[in-house]
Amino acid sequence: MSEIGATMLAWTLPAVMAALAIATALGIVRLIRGPSMPDHVVALDLIGTIFAGVITVYAIRVDEPVYIYASLVLGLVLFLGTVAIGYFLERRAAR
Amino acid sequence: MSLFAANLVLAILWGLTTENFSVMNLLIGYLVSLGVLVFVRRALGDSHYFRDITEVLALVWFFVKELFLANIRMARYTLSPLRKLRPGIVAVPMDFMTDAEITLLANLITLTPGTLSIDVSRDKRTLYVHVMDIADADAVRREIKHGFEARVLRAAR
Amino acid sequence: MKDIIVSLLLWAGAIFTLLGALGTLRMPDLYTRLQASTKAGTLGVSCIMVAAALHFMDLAVAVRAVLVVAFLFLTAPVAAHIIARAAHFTRVPLWSRNIIDELGDTRRNAKAADAPPPPESLVTEAGRAPDERRERS
């Protein structure tokens, strides 16, 4: 049973990495194309969130839990960035 | 609330007696003392605390379930032709709520199928919600008002 | 057994994230895109985090993973809310086939009623807007 599981995990990790890479590529297309400023922000936010996932998958792959801290910090920084940009957009429009 | 304090004190006592203050051990102590408190609840004569815990757990479970449903429905919108969408922004009247309750309600709405909260009016009585597929704006209003708002109020009070 | 559950969770996370990214690319206007990216990002990363917690079977890791998930559940909707609000405020256009925009209606009514609007009149206008709409339709 554990043999099957180990094999399955060994196949799953690269495939999941590939899926997340495709998702990042789609996000980058939206980032380049997005007509308005908030569209760019949404695309960047999505890419950052996907990256938090990529880091975690990598942590599982190399069996090194320390990397999970990185995704925690990435999540925090992303949120602050989004809030700052939203605030900036509203202030600029109000003037 | 006093039962919650008693629960915390019991958890700290558990940490003292097992000489281990790691998060896991304190969590185990909390759960064990919660079990003890449930066991003696009839003698204490105040079951408010246990009902609160059940309500909060039910809300968390509801959150997770709705998030799964939201993603499945979103996937269906993504993969079907765009002309089937009927998006729009609907105003939902709210009862009087505290800021924390409004935040909880807005988050819940954003993570549930096909809806996204956009703005709160200045008097905090109206919530503007973006909906992916509106068949009937009044039905949407009713659903949010009686489904989510009631649930949030029950868990928060 | 543990590895199988971890694999399934990772697959779920990857598929939801991929669909969300596809939705973000395909949807017609900012608000619909925001719906796709917020929900998919939250659920996708949450699934992967739970998978990591299960894989390492370590308390410190599990606490961090739960922390990340709780943080995501709290902040992703707030971030989406801020961006959507700023976008509507800066008049990012809605899709041409949008059927109703009561926030825009309220704002226009408030502006038409009296410029500059004192806060109280704005408040009553906002509170009454949905009812007026119902009578009209």
Side-chain angles (χ1 to χ4, degrees):
Chain A
M1 198 61 187
S2 68
E3 292 270 309
I4 303 173
T7 324
M8 189 173 171
L9 193 61
W11 279 95
T12 300
L13 286 171
V16 166
M17 279 289 201
L20 291 180
I22 297 170
T24 312
L26 295 177
I28 288 174
V29 173
R30 175 49 71 198
L31 177 65
I32 294 169
R33 216 201 259 171
S36 68
M37 181 78 170
D39 282 302
H40 295 294
V41 180
V42 171
L44 261 183
D45 208 40
L46 180 69
I47 292 172
T49 315
I50 295 173
F51 256 71
V54 170
I55 293 171
T56 314
V57 176
Y58 184 73
I60 295 177
R61 193 170 184 181
V62 299
D63 236 345
E64 183 55 79
V66 172
Y67 288 112
I68 290 185
Y69 286 97
S71 55
L72 183 62
V73 173
L74 186 58
L76 278 166
V77 172
L78 265 179
F79 175 62
L80 289 183
T82 310
V83 171
I85 293 177
Y87 186 67
F88 162 73
L89 282 175
E90 275 190 35
R91 284 293 296 274
R92 198 180 59 175
R95 259 194 292 125
Chain B
M1 210 59 211
S2 64
L3 269 183
F4 180 60
N7 203 344
L8 282 186
V9 169
L10 284 176
I12 291 169
L13 276 177
W14 170 276
L16 280 172
T17 47
T18 53
E19 292 182 4
N20 182 351
F21 277 94
S22 68
V23 182
M24 189 60 180
N25 199 41
L26 284 181
L27 202 65
I28 291 173
Y30 180 81
L31 290 178
V32 168
S33 45
L34 181 64
V36 171
L37 285 175
V38 168
F39 192 68
V40 299
R41 70 177 181 280
R42 211 168 284 167
L44 296 170
D46 177 14
S47 64
H48 192 59
Y49 177 48
F50 305 113
R51 215 201 56 221
D52 284 359
I53 289 184
T54 335
E55 287 290 348
V56 169
L57 283 182
L59 188 71
V60 169
W61 170 242
F62 181 70
F63 240 108
V64 173
K65 196 187 72 193
E66 288 289 315
L67 185 57
F68 264 96
L69 290 179
N71 271 276
I72 289 164
R73 196 191 284 191
M74 204 64 221
R76 221 173 53 218
Y77 288 142
T78 304
L79 297 175
S80 60
L82 289 183
R83 67 190 143 71
K84 284 192 179 164
L85 292 181
R86 282 166 296 178
I89 297 173
V90 175
V92 180
M94 290 189 290
D95 285 349
F96 180 76
M97 296 167 102
T98 63
D99 287 357
E101 286 161 0
I102 292 175
T103 311
L104 193 60
L105 177 64
N107 279 17
L108 190 56
I109 285 173
T110 298
L111 291 179
T112 47
T115 51
L116 175 90
S117 51
I118 289 186
D119 203 357
V120 180
S121 70
R122 216 171 287 180
D123 63 344
K124 298 177 189 167
R125 296 304 300 274
T126 315
L127 189 65
Y128 295 95
V129 180
H130 181 265
V131 186
M132 286 294 276
D133 188 4
I134 303 177
D136 173 12
D138 284 334
V140 173
R141 264 192 277 274
R142 231 175 300 126
E143 196 180 321
I144 291 175
K145 187 121 184 76
H146 297 302
F148 299 154
E149 195 187 56
R151 197 170 259 280
V152 167
L153 285 181
R154 231 183 316 138
R157 284 179 185 164
Chain C
M1 193 62 212
K2 187 190 82 183
D3 282 347
I4 295 177
I5 298 174
V6 170
S7 303
L8 289 179
L9 276 172
L10 285 176
W11 270 116
I15 289 170
F16 281 130
T17 312
L18 192 55
L19 282 170
L22 190 65
T24 314
L25 186 62
R26 191 160 176 261
M27 286 295 159
D29 71 356
L30 174 80
Y31 307 93
T32 47
R33 271 174 225 148
L34 202 51
Q35 290 221 18
S37 81
T38 308
K39 283 164 190 145
T42 313
L43 186 61
V45 176
S46 299
C47 281
I48 293 175
M49 275 295 160
V50 173
L54 209 60
H55 175 77
F56 289 113
M57 277 291 176
D58 177 35
L59 182 71
V61 176
V63 169
R64 263 92 192 173
V66 169
L67 214 62
V68 173
V69 172
F71 186 75
L72 269 178
F73 268 53
L74 281 180
T75 60
V78 174
H81 170 90
I82 288 171
I83 291 299
R85 198 183 120 92
H88 202 280
F89 201 65
T90 54
R91 298 198 174 67
V92 171
L94 286 139
W95 192 28
S96 55
R97 300 173 60 168
N98 212 71
I99 59 170
I100 185 171
D101 178 12
E102 292 183 342
L103 178 55
D105 293 349
T106 308
R107 208 163 269 163
R108 273 187 294 278
N109 285 346
K111 199 164 278 179
D114 46 357
E120 281 76 21
S121 84
L122 191 74
V123 158
T124 48
E125 200 67 51
R128 214 161 47 216
D131 299 325
E132 281 177 5
R133 182 158 200 96
R134 207 171 302 157
E135 282 160 16
R136 240 187 292 149
S137 58

